[in-house]
Amino acid sequence: MSIAFDDYGKPFILIEEQDRKERIKGLDALKSNIAAATTISNTLRTSLGPRGMDKMMQSPDGDVTITNDGATILQKMDIQNEVAKLMVELSKSQDDEIGDGTTGVVVLAGALLEHSVKLLERGMHPLRIAEGFERANDLCMPLLESISEAVPLEEDTYQSLTRTAMTTLNSKIVNKIRDQLAEICVKAVMAVADMERRDVNLDHIKLDGKPGGKLEDTCLISGIVIDKDFSHPQMPKEVRDAKICLLTCPFEPPKPKTKHKLEIDTVEKFKEMQDAEKNYFVDMVKKVKDSGANVVMCQWGFDDEANHLLYKNNLPAVRWVGGVEIELIAMATGARIIPRFSEITPEKLGRAKVVKEVPFGTTRDFMTVIEDCASTKAVTIFVRGGNQMVVDEAKRSIHDALCIVRNLIRDHRVVYGGGAPEVACSIAVSDAADQTPGVEQYAMRAFAQALDSYVIALAENSGLSPLETLGQVKSAQVKEKNPHMGVDCMGVGTNDMKVQNVYESLKSKQQQMTHATQMVKMILKIDDMIKPTDYE
């Protein structure tokens, strides 16, 4: 869109391809944007909660993904509408910041937009609606803190952390073995956690997987797994009390950095060149051997002669190890990464009890496992599954659980799930709206109704009567003055989420409401736009 001026100086707007595009303003623009955003929200609505459904997506290359993770679904969708892309960004920001609640935040934002349409049609200004939503959100933040409970982190079993991770895994394809996976996630996070700073670097937890086997075979390895085998088939398959030399320089003779030309005109010169090359290799292997190393891991490759010499000197070696894996191995074993052969010393070697090559199935597929390392500051969760899709979905599920446990290390307060916080906030916002003068009270009531819509979606996905369930939960919270009453999605027989051990991170719930409110305010402020080109 550009602005031009006629002969009399009056401005007019030029739109590219204006015969196929339309400029819309005011209420029409708002409704168009809200329709696009709510379409995305309704797509994810059926994936909310422990009984939520999965989505199957196919990429242009034919790759199939099956998941109910909100952020993954939206990233895989081919979305053209700019406002709909904002909902994708909303889910991504929740995933980057918290790691869980990516479906809930989009469903809540969609519900807020749906209820704002009714207010817009009644003539309420968009900014007054946004102000009312923000006032309601500000009321919810201290309320969520007041109904939260702190979980102890000093105990040996970390039961509260495990239960929170189990709640996250409840809605995933791996919910059958959620107890085992939750325990693995908590152990992995506690292994790499810096409790003094109360922080966790998830880069130190490597998620690796291999199709074949059962989900139950998933395990935590206090070390690193790399998808490589030893470079020579006759090298030992297992090394005990390993001293690991990590190299980022290749087993090759040095090459001039400028253009060069070597002329060989006699047999003697050729033999001299061969001997010189061999001496380079012998000298390299000797330096490694003299340092006391009994395993070599190299970021680069090496040719057959170097490989043969390593085998002859009883030095098992792994080549083409990735840069990220080299760093993780260094952290786990206490090794120093060595860039030149002249710098190899015994002090720079890493220590591990076992380095072994593990075969998988009958396909001659091998992986190298480094176990019981000197330092436990890097660990691997090794996922098994019937096929690659199951392994990928299990990895996504475990990542969400790891993020939630990390959040509890940072802020160890939890609220109880099952829609209980939303109902408590809805009741409080409705009461506050009755005492609020001005038109913001209508927006605050719309905010409360949007929170109710979240609970209704939970009940619908669990096969319950939506309105009846919402009424029962609200009534129970008011009568018993118990903010832990929620939707019994799993049919346990009680609505008390504290009894059901359904935990959610306080930070996750606060971020969901805050992000959704901010996104809705942004969309409500757009009142002039070019309507996207229709398909021809």
Side-chain angles (χ1 to χ4, degrees), residues 26-90:
L27 187 58
D28 290 338
L30 284 165
K31 282 185 174 181
S32 175
N33 292 338
I34 290 170
T38 51
T39 301
I40 297 294
S41 169
N42 292 335
T43 303
L44 291 190
R45 186 183 172 92
T46 54
S47 296
L48 184 67
R51 302 281 193 183
M53 306 299 283
D54 289 359
K55 301 284 185 285
M56 179 186 283
M57 289 151 292
Q58 185 177 13
S59 72
D61 298 332
D63 297 331
V64 176
T65 304
I66 301 174
T67 182
N68 71 346
D69 179 63
T72 306
I73 292 169
L74 294 182
Q75 283 172 11
K76 299 284 184 183
M77 289 172 69
D78 183 16
I79 295 171
Q80 303 297 328
N81 187 281
E82 298 303 322
V83 174
K85 286 179 183 177
L86 291 177
M87 299 296 274
V88 179
E89 291 297 320
L90 171 65

Side-chain angles (χ1 to χ4, degrees), residues 290-355:
D290 291 346
S291 70
N294 54 9
V295 177
V296 180
M297 294 200 175
C298 183
Q299 189 176 2
W300 300 97
F302 34 84
D303 64 17
D304 292 340
E305 183 150 5
N307 201 14
H308 176 72
L309 286 170
L310 287 166
Y311 163 63
K312 282 291 185 185
N313 284 272
N314 198 27
L315 272 175
V318 182
R319 54 187 165 188
W320 298 117
V321 181
V324 174
E325 290 169 331
I326 285 275
E327 290 177 10
L328 286 171
I329 294 168
M331 282 188 287
T333 61
R336 296 286 296 277
I337 298 172
I338 302 169
R340 298 179 191 86
F341 283 94
S342 58
E343 295 180 17
I344 299 176
T345 59
E347 295 78 26
K348 294 182 179 179
L349 303 181
R351 304 302 198 268
K353 283 189 179 177
V354 183
V355 175

Side-chain angles (χ1 to χ4, degrees), residues 81-377:
N81 187 281
E82 298 303 322
V83 174
K85 286 179 183 177
L86 291 177
M87 299 296 274
V88 179
E89 291 297 320
L90 171 65
S91 181
K92 187 176 183 301
S93 65
Q94 177 77 12
D95 193 38
D96 293 344
E97 183 70 21
I98 303 296
D100 191 32
T102 52
T103 306
V105 69
V106 175
V107 170
L108 180 57
L112 287 169
L113 288 168
E114 280 182 1
H115 286 90
S116 64
V117 170
K118 299 171 185 175
L119 298 177
L120 289 168
E121 288 175 343
R122 291 164 65 181
M124 191 168 174
H125 195 277
L127 285 184
R128 302 301 293 272
I129 298 172
E131 286 168 9
F133 285 169
E134 285 192 324
R135 184 178 291 188
N137 184 60
D138 292 342
L139 276 170
C140 292
M141 294 303 108
L143 176 65
L144 287 172
E145 290 182 7
S146 67
I147 65 174
S148 67
E149 292 184 8
V151 297
L153 299 180
E154 288 73 25
E155 59 192 56
D156 295 332
T157 56
Y158 302 110
Q159 283 187 359
S160 301
L161 293 178
T162 306
R163 286 171 181 165
T164 311
M166 283 168 58
T167 304
T168 302
L169 295 169
N170 241 343
S171 61
K172 310 295 183 184
I173 197 172
V174 297
N175 61 358
K176 182 183 174 185
I177 57 164
R178 63 180 183 275
D179 298 14
Q180 176 189 339
L181 292 184
E183 199 171 317
I184 286 173
C185 292
V186 171
K187 284 181 180 177
V189 170
M190 298 312 295
V192 303
D194 184 350
M195 297 307 289
E196 290 183 8
R197 294 172 52 235
R198 298 192 79 86
D199 196 16
V200 179
N201 187 350
L202 292 182
D203 290 339
H204 295 178
I205 301 174
K206 187 184 178 191
L207 263 176
D208 212 338
K210 204 78 168 172
K214 302 177 292 184
L215 273 171
E216 288 84 350
D217 297 336
T218 299
C219 60
L220 175 67
I221 296 169
S222 56
I224 302 299
V225 176
I226 52 177
D227 195 6
K228 306 284 179 186
D229 56 355
F230 287 127
S231 59
H232 197 289
Q234 291 179 295
M235 284 177 175
K237 302 300 180 188
E238 184 173 321
V239 180
R240 296 258 170 196
D241 297 321
K243 296 175 183 176
I244 303 168
C245 178
L246 292 180
L247 296 172
T248 56
C249 48
F251 270 94
E252 292 176 356
K255 296 176 183 175
K257 295 195 177 181
T258 57
K259 287 186 178 180
H260 62 284
K261 187 178 179 182
L262 183 64
E263 290 186 2
I264 298 173
D265 51 7
T266 63
V267 175
E268 288 75 17
K269 286 183 181 179
F270 184 75
K271 286 183 178 178
E272 282 178 21
M273 185 195 72
Q274 270 190 323
D275 291 340
E277 194 175 75
K278 186 177 178 181
N279 289 336
Y280 274 123
F281 288 132
V282 170
D283 186 46
M284 290 172 183
V285 174
K286 186 175 183 299
K287 285 177 180 175
V288 175
K289 192 75 175 174
D290 291 346
S291 70
N294 54 9
V295 177
V296 180
M297 294 200 175
C298 183
Q299 189 176 2
W300 300 97
F302 34 84
D303 64 17
D304 292 340
E305 183 150 5
N307 201 14
H308 176 72
L309 286 170
L310 287 166
Y311 163 63
K312 282 291 185 185
N313 284 272
N314 198 27
L315 272 175
V318 182
R319 54 187 165 188
W320 298 117
V321 181
V324 174
E325 290 169 331
I326 285 275
E327 290 177 10
L328 286 171
I329 294 168
M331 282 188 287
T333 61
R336 296 286 296 277
I337 298 172
I338 302 169
R340 298 179 191 86
F341 283 94
S342 58
E343 295 180 17
I344 299 176
T345 59
E347 295 78 26
K348 294 182 179 179
L349 303 181
R351 304 302 198 268
K353 283 189 179 177
V354 183
V355 175
K356 60 184 178 181
E357 189 179 88
V358 181
F360 290 94
T362 59
T363 58
R364 295 188 180 181
D365 205 1
F366 296 95
M367 296 184 89
T368 304
V369 180
I370 306 166
E371 288 182 327
D372 298 325
C373 300
S375 167
T376 57
K377 286 297 180 186

Side-chain angles (χ1 to χ4, degrees), residues 98 164 404 407-408 411 413-415 503-510:
I98 303 296
T164 311
I404 283 297
N407 294 335
L408 285 179
D411 182 355
R413 291 175 294 175
V414 297
V415 291
Y503 295 99
E504 286 190 58
S505 163
L506 169 65
K507 190 177 179 185
S508 172
K509 193 58 69 177
Q510 286 181 325

